[in-house]
Amino acid sequence: QESKQEPRPGPARVELRPLGSLVPASYNPRKITKAARERLRASLEKFGLASSLTWNERTGSLVGGHQRAGVLQELLGAEAEVPVSIVDLSEEDEKALNVTLNRADLAGTFDADALAALLAELPEDLAEDLRLEDLPGWSRDEAVDLAEMIASEPEWTGETTDEDREALAERL
């Protein structure tokens, strides 16, 4: 006898929603420093909202993009409409998605050569000597940290070692 599994929710749909209607999730574990908030503001002013916020219609909570939503509301006001990816999830799945959306390790890592090539392609008018910290959203300390991280990061071989698993377990 086959067991029937409930189908997974379909892909999110995107709609315009007023910023003031997006209620932040009370459990959201993310925080932002004043300096990082200013860099986020500069990035949003330069590039706009490049990826939508995520909102759960079942619970009425913002799932992803709390910091961006806050800064956008300061810049544009509560009535401004922004693109929102709308999901329909249980509260448990919503919380899991919140954590998943905010895991930096799921975004991958930088390839030093590819990053250097990409930065070399950017217009020189962004800064006299183009440096990562001159781009909106980056501080000098973060640029230095990134350079050090790239230099010390071993290239992934496609295999997960026990050491990799232990390192991940320590972060969880």
Side-chain angles (χ1 to χ4, degrees):
Q1 185 178 22
E2 285 184 39
S3 70
K4 278 192 168 183
Q5 286 187 324
E6 190 174 315
R8 296 294 305 159
R13 67 183 190 278
V14 177
E15 294 180 4
L16 292 177
R17 295 279 172 144
L19 284 163
S21 73
L22 304 174
V23 178
S26 60
Y27 59 81
N28 184 45
R30 299 289 285 185
K31 297 187 285 183
I32 191 167
T33 65
K34 185 176 180 179
R37 190 174 183 86
E38 287 305 312
R39 290 191 305 276
L40 175 59
R41 180 186 191 99
S43 177
L44 288 167
E45 287 174 336
K46 176 147 181 85
F47 304 115
L49 184 62
S51 62
S52 64
L53 308 175
T54 304
W55 179 76
N56 188 359
E57 68 182 341
R58 194 179 304 182
T59 65
S61 292
L62 189 61
V63 183
H66 290 78
Q67 310 308 331
R68 290 176 289 146
V71 171
L72 286 168
Q73 193 161 340
E74 289 170 9
L75 289 170
L76 306 173
E79 299 303 314
E81 292 187 331
V82 295
V84 176
S85 293
I86 299 175
V87 296
D88 181 18
L89 301 171
S90 68
E91 188 173 349
E92 183 179 86
D93 283 346
E94 171 188 300
K95 288 177 178 181
L97 178 58
N98 174 279
V99 172
T100 300
L101 289 172
N102 288 299
R103 287 197 42 187
D105 61 323
L106 296 181
T109 60
F110 287 101
D111 172 300
D113 294 334
L115 180 59
L118 177 64
L119 293 174
E121 291 176 16
L122 294 175
E124 289 189 33
D125 65 344
L126 286 175
E128 176 134 343
D129 286 317
L130 185 61
R131 299 176 312 228
L132 195 57
E133 68 264 20
D134 292 326
L135 297 174
W138 290 87
S139 71
R140 173 150 177 70
D141 289 343
E142 287 172 322
V144 169
D145 289 347
L146 176 62
E148 289 172 358
M149 179 189 73
I150 290 170
S152 69
E153 213 170 65
E155 189 170 324
W156 189 57
T157 62
E159 295 179 21
T160 304
T161 65
D162 288 338
E163 187 178 293
D164 294 332
R165 287 185 194 89
E166 288 172 18
L168 178 59
E170 286 176 22
R171 285 189 241 157
L172 297 177

